[in-house]
Amino acid sequence: MSELVDFERVESTHSQEERNQLMAHVAQLYAMSSDRINPELLSVYDSVLVRLADLVEEEALAFVSEKLAPLTNAPRSMVRKLASEPIDVARPVLEQSPVLSDSDLVEIAGETGVSHLEAIAGRESVAPIVSAVLVERGDEPVKLRLAKNKGAELFESSYIKLVQDASRNEDLQASLAEREDLPVTVVRALVDVASVNVRRKLLRHGKPEVARRVGEAAGLAAERLSNEQWLSRYDFEAAYRSVSLAVKKQPVNEASVFAMARAGRFAEAVVMFALCAAVPLEDAKHWCVRSDCKPFLIMCKALGFSEETVLAFLQLGPWLRRLDRDARERAMFDYGTIDVSVAREIVSQWRSNRKPVAA
């Protein structure tokens, strides 16, 4: 350490400005050579920077924070120290530094103020255990930034707390609604929160009957929102182009639908199903994602699909997570009890009316 900085001389002869310049010089030197520094020298730099940090002003520390924040091998003790400094110093490392572990962030979030929490909420990725502390201790700006951050992962319990706060914050409602990773239970809770506000407005305007109907529609709205979130995870345009090329060589039939489903290619399987059934892709997409499988089962029965093909679909894509074992077994039992002629009549009526199979 003494070879890098003579601390006795620095403390006895250097002015404050000279100390600030020395700190900046050491940080700049480290940043320029960080990819070539071995563990032993890294430890030396870490010790030097931490000791210098007690001798310099906040402006110098902010400069160091900017230099070290993006480095994958920044001196850990120094980064950890910077993260607990006032927010003008801490922000760069809190938002960027890959050196800070989840346990570091949990500890920092538990000890610092909301400005630090908001910085953490904007990191490229935020682990659920860190998000839980941010939700528990953060104010509205912290929670809003976390909800908008697509790289943030949250426990279901954290989502529920955010939904409770969203009842008083329309921006938070909108940010949560735009997320693609909401569990179904959270989607329903979010719709319920929004519908409560709507009902209150309607009741204030003397429309209790309309308010009641809004409440009844909340469940259906939640289902539709959840369906859209699941479907947004798949690239159906690319799947359609891929299948379109394939059908030029071989027509789509049940065997090709089954093969695609067994291969785990949800989007392509849905496109093939839509072509096989001669239905709009939008209808097929929603039939193959909703928690109530009945429209899909009726169309499959009308097409004469085997139980093996139907089961392959029920174990594919969103249904792999949305249907538990009991729900899947009930669906297969229902499929076995559907009469082919009845299924074909329902499909025929649907085609005549150009409406989706009844919900």
Side-chain angles (χ1 to χ4, degrees), residues 213-263:
R213 290 201 300 271
V214 169
E216 291 173 351
L220 181 58
E223 176 77 12
R224 288 173 178 168
L225 178 58
S226 181
N227 291 349
E228 292 294 344
Q229 289 176 331
W230 280 106
L231 291 172
S232 67
R233 304 179 184 191
Y234 301 93
D235 189 346
F236 286 96
E237 290 186 7
Y240 186 83
R241 291 194 297 270
S242 175
V243 171
S244 296
L245 292 175
V247 298
K248 291 180 180 180
K249 301 177 182 179
Q250 183 177 349
V252 174
N253 53 30
E254 182 187 353
S256 56
V257 173
F258 173 71
M260 196 64 71
R262 283 294 298 271

Side-chain angles (χ1 to χ4, degrees), residues 186-205:
V186 176
V187 174
R188 291 186 181 278
L190 181 59
V191 172
D192 286 343
V193 166
S195 68
V196 166
N197 291 335
V198 173
R199 285 198 294 271
R200 286 174 179 169
K201 291 179 181 179
L202 291 170
L203 288 171
R204 284 200 299 269
H205 287 83

Side-chain angles (χ1 to χ4, degrees), residues 123-127 131 146 148-154 179:
R123 289 175 67 88
E124 184 176 355
S125 63
V126 184
S131 295
L146 185 67
K148 289 182 176 180
N149 185 354
K150 299 302 188 293
E153 299 180 64
L154 290 85
R179 293 187 67 93

Side-chain angles (χ1 to χ4, degrees), residues 275-295:
L275 292 175
C276 208
V279 300
L281 179 57
E282 283 302 309
D283 289 321
K285 284 162 53 178
H286 283 277
W287 292 347
C288 294
V289 69
R290 52 186 285 172
S291 54
D292 177 8
C293 311
K294 190 169 293 182

Side-chain angles (χ1 to χ4, degrees), residues 2-19:
S2 59
E3 294 179 358
L4 191 60
V5 175
D6 184 347
F7 277 99
E8 183 176 345
R9 180 170 176 272
V10 169
E11 293 177 352
S12 62
T13 66
H14 280 47
S15 67
Q16 188 62 67
E17 183 179 355
E18 289 173 326
R19 293 176 182 182

